[in-house]
Each structure stands twice: as C-alpha cells, then as structure tokens.
Amino acid sequence: MNFDKASLKDMANAIRALSMDAVEKAASGHVGMPLGMADVATTLFTSHLKYDPQKPDWKDRDRFVLSAGHGSMLIYSLLHLTGYESVSLSDIENFRQLGAQTPGHPENFITQGVETTTGPLGQGIATAVGMALAERHLNARFGNDLVDHYTYVLAGDGCLMEGVSQEAITLAGHLNLNRMIVLWDDNSVTIDGGTNMSDSTDQIKRFEAAGWMTAAIDGHDPEAIDQALTWAKSCDKPVMIACKTRIGYGAPNIEGTGKAHGGPYGAEEIAGIRKYIGWDHEPFVLPEDVVANWRAAGARGAEARETWEKRLAGAQERDAFEEAFNTELPPAFADAMAAHKQSVSDGQDKKATRQWSGAALEVATKILPTMIGGSADLTGSNNTKTSSTGPLTATDYSGRYVYYGIREHGMAACMNGMALHGGIIPYSGTFFVFGDYSRPAIRLGALMGTPVIHVMTHDSIGLGEDGPTHQPVEHLASFRAMPNIHVFRPADGVETAECWELALARTTGPSIMALTRQGVAPARSGKITENLSAKGGYVLKEAEGDPQVVLLATGSEVELALAAQESLKSDGIAARVVSLPCWELFTEQDEAYIEDVLGGDLPKVAVEAGVRLGWDQWIGRKGKFVGMSSFGASAPYKDLFTHFGITAENVASTAKSLV
Amino acid sequence: MNFDKASLKDMANAIRALSMDAVEKAASGHVGMPLGMADVATTLFTSHLKYDPQKPDWKDRDRFVLSAGHGSMLIYSLLHLTGYESVSLSDIENFRQLGAQTPGHPENFITQGVETTTGPLGQGIATAVGMALAERHLNARFGNDLVDHYTYVLAGDGCLMEGVSQEAITLAGHLNLNRMIVLWDDNSVTIDGGTNMSDSTDQIKRFEAAGWMTAAIDGHDPEAIDQALTWAKSCDKPVMIACKTRIGYGAPNIEGTGKAHGGPYGAEEIAGIRKYIGWDHEPFVLPEDVVANWRAAGARGAEARETWEKRLAGAQERDAFEEAFNTELPPAFADAMAAHKQSVSDGQDKKATRQWSGAALEVATKILPTMIGGSADLTGSNNTKTSSTGPLTATDYSGRYVYYGIREHGMAACMNGMALHGGIIPYSGTFFVFGDYSRPAIRLGALMGTPVIHVMTHDSIGLGEDGPTHQPVEHLASFRAMPNIHVFRPADGVETAECWELALARTTGPSIMALTRQGVAPARSGKITENLSAKGGYVLKEAEGDPQVVLLATGSEVELALAAQESLKSDGIAARVVSLPCWELFTEQDEAYIEDVLGGDLPKVAVEAGVRLGWDQWIGRKGKFVGMSSFGASAPYKDLFTHFGITAENVASTAKSLV
C-alpha cells in the first residue's frame, strides 16, 4: 500500500501516542520499544503483513510475533488502529487493568490478533520457529494455494541474549525456514543500561553462522524498512534484519538510555515527545485522517482473504485441510485405540512404558496425519519415531518427524508454535529430567492452553546407571504444581494407551507422559472397555474382604503396590491398590468419588519413586510414603530401588505398621 | 613434558582401553567420546594442564571441566593414570556401580579431581565461565603470585547446541575471559546420527561472533594439539579449539556413527579396536611403561605446587587469601547483622522485602569481600547492587558486581562455577518466575551442594500489572520439591535479614530468597535476639487465650494472617499465627517442636499467594488453603489479591468456618 512519507510518520506517531498515553495512565508498562519500533511496525502492517482484522483467524494469514512482549502497547496500538474488534480505545485506556483486552504482556488467549503469549524473553522467537515450520509442512501437504505465508518476529536484545534464541535460530537455519523474518530492535539498551554493559555479540555474524541471511537498516527510515522487507520475502533462507532504532524515541532526557525501557516517563518527557513528533492531540485522541489511513491499511487484506476462501472452497484438499484444523479426533482413532488396548491386554508382556508408548504412537500416528513427532536427540530412547513419521527436513517438509537436536527448550517452544498455528498436533520426546530445560516453554504452553504432548521417558531412578543428573526425583511434583498441565504416569501398556487417548483428545493445554526406561509388569488384563485413567485415579485391585489399608501408586511403582498387596494378603491383611495415573483428572472428579477411591479414613501408604511433596493431599499428614527424599545415585536400577528402600517389602511392612 | 609420539599414542590408548573395558564390563556408559578425545586429553594432561594428583585441592591448579559428562570414563582414566588416589583400578572395574568412585556421570562430590558435576549438556561450559571469572577476579585481588591459572573445557556437539552455551560464551566473550579454553570435540555425531541431521551451525563463526579466538585442528595429531594449546594460552581472548575427531576411534563397524556414542560396543567391535590401536593386553591390564609415563606426567606439577605454597607462605596477602577460602563467616558479620536487625525492628517501615534484602546486602557486602553480586538485567528491581560492589568488567576484574545481561541460566551456572572455584560467595538476582530459566543450573547446584544465593524478587501476583507470564504461582512448590535447596520467603525486614544470615552461613547448598515487589507491613518488632527464622517456622504471634485455630503463612501473606487474627479476636476467636519462612529448616526440627508450632489437631488455615501443593503436609487434608489455583492476571496488585480472594477477610472467614 502506498502512503507518502508524511502519512507514514503520522501513522507511526499514532502508535507512539497511544503507547505513551496508555503507559502514563496505567502508570506502568514499557513504552520505550513502541516508541522506537513504531516506524518498522507501520511499514510492516501497511505494506507487507498479510492479515484481515475482520477475520483474525484466517488460516493463511501471516503470523506476527512480538517476542519483545513487554512492548505490548505496540501490538495493541496496531490491532486497534488497523480495525480489530478485539482492542477498543477503551481497552487501551484501561491498559493493564483487570478485565481489559490489554494485559501487561500480550496474551493470545485474551486478545484476538495476538498470535502467542510473550513476555518471558526469547519465547516469542522460539515459538515463531514452530509457526514457520508448521507453515512449511502444511504448504508441503496442501500446496501454495492454501498455505503460503510468512512469520514475522519482532525481537529485542533480551530475546537474543536468552539461550533459547540460539536453539531457535540454529533450528530455523538448519531447517531453512525461509518464510521466517526476524526484525531485531537494535536499540543498544537494556534495563540495566547500555547493552555494552553486558554484551559484545556480533549478532549479524551470529545469525549468519546459523545459516541466516541478514541486513542492517535504519529503523526510522520507511524506505529502507520497505526495501529490506521486500528483499527478505524473496530470500531462500530465514532472514534477520537489524533495525537500528532509538529507544524512547523523542524523549528529551532519556531517549537512548536504560531509563527509556519502561515505566511511565512522567509529564515532562511525554510533553517533550509530543513536541518532537509534532503531536498536539490530547491523550487518546487520534486525528481522523490518521485513523482513516490505518483503517485502509487494515482493510487491504480482505480481498486476498476472500480469494483464498474461494480457493479453499474449490480445492480438492478442502476436506483434508479442514479436518487438519478440526480439534476433534476422528472416530477411526477411538476404534484403532480400542483394538490396540485389547491387544496389549491380551499380550501381557513385561515392557517399559516408553515401549508401550511407542506402540500406542504407532497406532495413533497412522490414523492422525496431523501428528508431528520428534525428539531432542533421544529418538531411540524416547520411542517417539513411528513407521508413519518420516523425517521432516529442509528438503522435504512433508515429513512428520523432527530431529530437534539437543535443544529441549527450543523444541518445546517450537511445539507451542505449531499448535498455535493450527493444523498440527505436536509431540516430542526427551528425558523427564530435562523437562527442567524446557520448563519455561512448557509453562507458556500451559498458560496459553496449547495442546502439545511432551513425552518424558526415563522418569525416575529406574533409569539406573546414568545417575542423579539424569534421575528425576522432584519432577513429578514440580509439574503437578504447574496449573493447566496434565501429568500422566501410566503403570503399564493399557494405562499408557489410555493416557495417550486422553492426551491426544485434550484441546485446552499440554500433557506430559512420564514413562519408564525399565520394564514393568502388566497391571491390567482381561476385557478393556472404559478408559479408567480418564478419572485420573481408580481402584485398580480391590482388597479381598473389607480393606484395612489403601496402597496408592503411579507408574512403575504400581507393580510394587500390587506385590505388596499379595504379600499382605498372605499375612491376612486386606489391602486396596489405587492407581493414580493423572492427579489433575482425579482432582476434577466429584468429592464422593475421590473419597470412595481413597477409602475415607483408612490408613494409607503411597509409593512413588519421587519426592513426597504433594502426596499429603491424598494420604494425609499421617499417611506413610515410600519414595525418595534426596537425589538418586548411579547404579543398576534394581540396586537403586533396593538402596533407596522403594520395594514391595517396604510397602508391605509400612502398611502393616499402620494396620 | 616431552614424550615421543609413540609414547603419547600408547598413553592415549591406555585411556581408550580403560574406557572400553569399563563400559563393556558395566554393560552401560559412553565410550565413543573417550575413544575420540583420548589424544587431545593426553596432550593436555601431559604437557599443559597444571595440577598435582597429590593435592587435588591446590587452589591455583588449572580447572578441567568435562562438559560432555557422559564421556566420564575419560576423566576417570586420566585421574587413575596420573595418580589420583580417588580413582583406583577397582573403581574403574566397578564403573557405574553403587558406591564406586566412578558414577555414570562425573560427580564432584564423589570423586576428588572432578571439578564439577556434568551430564546435563551445556552445564559444564557454563559452569566453567564462573571458574574462569573467579580466577580473573581473585587474580585482580591477590595478584599473579597466588592466582594465575587456566580453565579448560571439553565440550561436545550437544553442549554447543544447548541454549545455555550461548549465554555462557557470550558472557565469557564480553568479559574477555582469556584464561578460558574450550576444546570442542568436533566429531560430527550425536545420538540420533550425524550432526547434519539436526544442525548446520558454523561453530567457528559463532564463537568469533561472541568475541572468541578460534582454531581448528586434527584431534588425533599430538603436535597440532600441542601447538594449538600453546597458542591458546598466549591469546588475550577466550579460545575455542575445534578438534576434529573420530568418535568410537578404531571400532571397525561403528566408528563415526551415532551407534558409537554410547552403550557397550560388544566383543567384536572391542576386539577390532584393540587390533586397530595395537593393544593386546587383557581388560584392565596396563603395561608398566605406559603407567610409568602417565605417573611421570602426573608428578610434573608437584614442583610448581610446592613453589606456589612457598609463595603463599611468604605473601603479604596470605591471611586475606586464606580467609577468602574459609567458609566460616567472620564474627564481625554476626555483629553487623545484629545491629542491622535491631535497626530494622526499630524502624518499623512498610517496605518490600526486596528492599529489605537490599538493605541486608548493603551490610553483608561491606563485611564480606568475597561476596560477588549481579543480576540478569534487573539490578534496580532486584536490589542486588550495593555501595561496596562496583562493576566487574573486562577492564576491571576487581569489581564485585556482574551485569549478567538477560542470561538467567548462564548466570546461575556461572555462580555454581564461582562457588566451586572457591574464594567467592556468589549471589545474583532475577524475577522468581524466571527461576524456570535457570532451573537446570539451580538443580545442579543443589546436587553438588554449591553455596550460592539466588535472589528472586517479584515473588507472586503481588508484582501486579506484568501479568501471568511474570507471576510465579507454582514456583514456591516447584523449588520446595527440589532436594537440598533452602527456599526462604521472609515476611518483613527482620525476617529478611535473618534469612540472609542463614543463606550466607549455609555451606552445603544453594538458597533462594523469594522476595516481594510490593511493600509489606512489619511482622516483628521490639528487641531482636534469637534468629527465629533459623527454625524454619515459629509461632509469630500467639493467640490471646487458648488458640482455637492456627493461621499459617509465609512472606507477604503473613500480614494477612496477622490482620485476620485481629479480626477473629474481635469476633471472640483466638487464633495463632505461624510464620514459615523456610520449610526445609522447619522439616529439620524435631517432631515435638513441629507439632507444638502446628498446634496438633487444631484446625488450620494456610495463606500463601501460590498453589496449595505441599501445604497439606502442614495443614492436613482437612485444612483450608487461601491461595492460587490458576495462573494470575494483569492488574494493579491490590486488585489481584481481591480478585483471587487472597485477603485477610477471606482468611478470617475461612478460619471461622472451621472453628
């Protein structure tokens, strides 16, 4: 779209004005970046970005990710000015207030037009890799007519200092995601002061080392910005454009300093900016011509969107395309899983739950073409690769398996991005202990409610010789503490299949599958009908006669509880065994069911090869716990279970002491 | 030391033989790297590394960090061959068995000569930055005569793919840590297969972009290795040497493939290697001449160590130097803190605990010259900078404050490295929510027992407008789940000072100081004598008359409990208020004290602006909890406390419902 230079300046200044007025009124927020990046954003949103404010969910829109999420007023200004219904002027006046569509950091689940929640630095750029990857994959699957868009990222110095950015840019470079364009706000300032206080990195060289194309421009020159964006779209590699900007643009005393980063600037600075940019309107007042220009810019995508809709309507792949974006699973899936579960039950093998997970995945990935798997360099250990998922590479984006490399954090963020893009159910694998590496991205997924599945094998001291650095002991507790995440720890092949059914059906947040390295005995057998894991916890094996004690367990320790039950029986003690594969689902049941399963005031013993924290909610302060209270050790796993006293004998004798 | 080429080969082959024999016998472990890096390690340990196996704790020794920790047999072989007592041949034969000095991954707390625990990739290189930084700082403080050594790192492809490596190398480059030398095992292989499956990074260019010098050599050519190390030691920047090696060196069928990474190779491959390297000795048998050469290499550092000891004995700075490495705090510290606590108590201000923390730090850093602070770009928010801690920069290493940049993970690992080096008590700051970023390094610190202090401000929804991405709700629980870490959450200025006393006195592991952004009312007043926080929990304000209910709280919510107590009193209900600033210390008290504080079977209400997980251990299943059960929101903090129902009114009415 062609606006003259003066109009573009006015339009950029409208962003500046809204941003500073909102931050001043809230007396909180970060205006330095919107002031600095207003020109870049204006050129992007008027002449390059493909979007339609009337259809924020147009599937082939370009994605714009504000990785420097603290500058949220930039995106709120843009959404309001281009005509998104989601952000009214009143929302902007209520910036950072309860209930407004304008929270402190952009939240995709609050504000339509925001593609992803950002704020924790580096997450945006890493999430965008997943969006760009989803685009290339779906393009390979459905063709240019249906999927053909760019993913733009606005990243700050903080995003690029965070380690996750390295995982992101090297993955994007390796996969040659040439529809990804990063606009680096090169303003030489962080909160503590000049970037030269903490960094000396040559970012251009660094991105080139990762296989990117680069350019460096004056971020206040609309022509240079326009040319760079035109060039970037034509590149056959991912592109990073260093935009030299002045943070706090126009602030008479603090422009270009650490003080310009955030916080209200105060009346004097604001007056100075108004004067400098020639903006003599009252706070939150926008001149009609500027608004009209912005609305025209916002309206320019409607035609392309309508054309795309027509193409979709006539496309051969239409059904498959819509099915890909349908979050409901097809009936064929339930049928195939039912058959699988029965065959597992009939098979009665002793296998690791990671192997059972691989078997379930083999079935699921065959039925669900939207599943894209991967592993952070532990493919053989995580059992995440199936015969349906060929490698997704820079030369074949149609593949369905990503070799993520040793990049747990980038992998988890990438999965969030794929899920947010839509058309894909991402899952990936690593060791459970390395969930700590990916935790910030897992948390963001939980906050946003992205349906992604983290396969986490080697879930306890049961991994044996690799020792305490590799043995999760606190990880079940630490993830159970996180809101909106389902932590599954199945006990055998049947429960593993059930948990996969539940994880794949979940549309409102991430799931973790905590799986054993070592073999486990079957816990369930016979005819498999109801998905018992769906209640999160259930009586796996009732006592013969009135129960005197309840034994609770998850995962590999269910086997120990069952053995203890037998041993107690021979001592004339009736024990109930409860399996708790998913605490979050169990908590959702009604109180009567929960009390019924837990057996009211009956004495309780829990066994789990992790720490006790959290278990008291089920067993009470007086319940006994058989598990870990320290880090693990390096030895064959059977020696470790004995060493740490996590044995059927110990469960039985503990139960006896309570009866 | 001059060994001829043939001798060096034999010596390297001794490493190869021990490594493969140990892994075969354990039927577990990773021999590919030791086979590949044996030549590099041999040249380093025979001709460059400064160490004395008779005095593994010689303070001016070079540090050697095996960042690729899975190749642990490399370091065990080296320690055994050079004559460290810590690793006997029997330990090597018992590789990865319970009780041996040779766990699966190197553990500094098990095996003398191992400088740091490694295994989680990238941690070693990031920890080494802290060692190299400690060296430069102590060199600036005590001079070349006492501190003048190198820090070597052996890093693999995995280490360099992990994001934390980027934080580490850019920090090292920025601070120009020219005594740090990274040997990259450039073997082109990861577990999943060729590195070309997952990475295309030009590592040489990447390190140069971070301000490093680089070289690329044949990792099997002793002369090239020797020359490169000699050159590296002369450089005035940190150095990365890319060592092209053959993983699984000599294995006839799997050398250079993903299969060579780990696991026992099997008899055929082992026989092939033996043949290829000309090693016809039985497993675990070493020829005398090779052992003699290795012992001679190991003995070569004794003279330098003795000379250094003499220099120390005669040095003017001797006392200060020894005091720096003394983990006991001087009596002046207790006196100064006592005065500080009393002045806080007398002052009775309403301030944020992060401000009280800053005040305590002002006192502590003045007395303790070993304290080195810093922040991940939140200096003003974390209140971590004091008048005694000037900036530590590339041109002035004598400073005591590190501007870590937006590198929480690298910062935490760097602190581990400084603590392991000795002579420094590191502390640093970030927002509590970003403890997720640094969690893998915090965990390693907890495992190793490094005395480091993580200042974590903005510890709840009390931070207000920044919203849920910045509001920890699960972090108290997730860190309380981690073994060997003390999570302090003080309620006011007095408790904050007490907790700082406890954190600084702790020598066996890390501490977290969870601190408010918002102001809190004083909880303690009058004469301050005993450190009440030392018991982890205590009756802060007893009920008037026999207590009918117990209110438990931490941090900013103690104020709410106290207000609820007042309100209940006016309703004729006697409530006790218990403050629990450190659960870990409370757990260590005897059962009688704990029961006494908790008031036995009295009904209980806990209030904490975090999730309930873990609280049941104090309040039981039937206790009530006032806190969070979801992520937070963006709004002024007072609105949020009301919105989420975390108020004195709610605590009081909940208590009433139980009485």
Side-chain angles (χ1 to χ4, degrees), chain B residues 153-166:
Chain B
V153 179
L154 194 167
D157 292 297
C159 293
L160 301 192
M161 282 198 225
E162 291 286 359
V164 69
S165 70
Q166 182 67 13

Side-chain angles (χ1 to χ4, degrees), chain B residues 15 18 45 49 51-54 56 64 72-88 92 101-102 106-107 110-115 294-295 298:
Chain B
I15 296 174
L18 286 178
F45 273 70
L49 195 77
Y51 65 104
D52 181 357
Q54 304 309 308
F64 173 74
S72 56
M73 270 311 304
L74 183 79
I75 183 75
Y76 300 145
S77 300
L78 287 162
L79 293 176
H80 175 69
L81 290 166
T82 55
Y84 282 80
E85 273 184 23
S86 53
V87 180
S88 67
I92 288 179
Q101 301 286 296
T102 47
E107 311 284 8
I110 290 182
T111 317
Q112 226 177 7
V114 169
E115 300 286 357
W294 265 118
R295 291 290 147 86

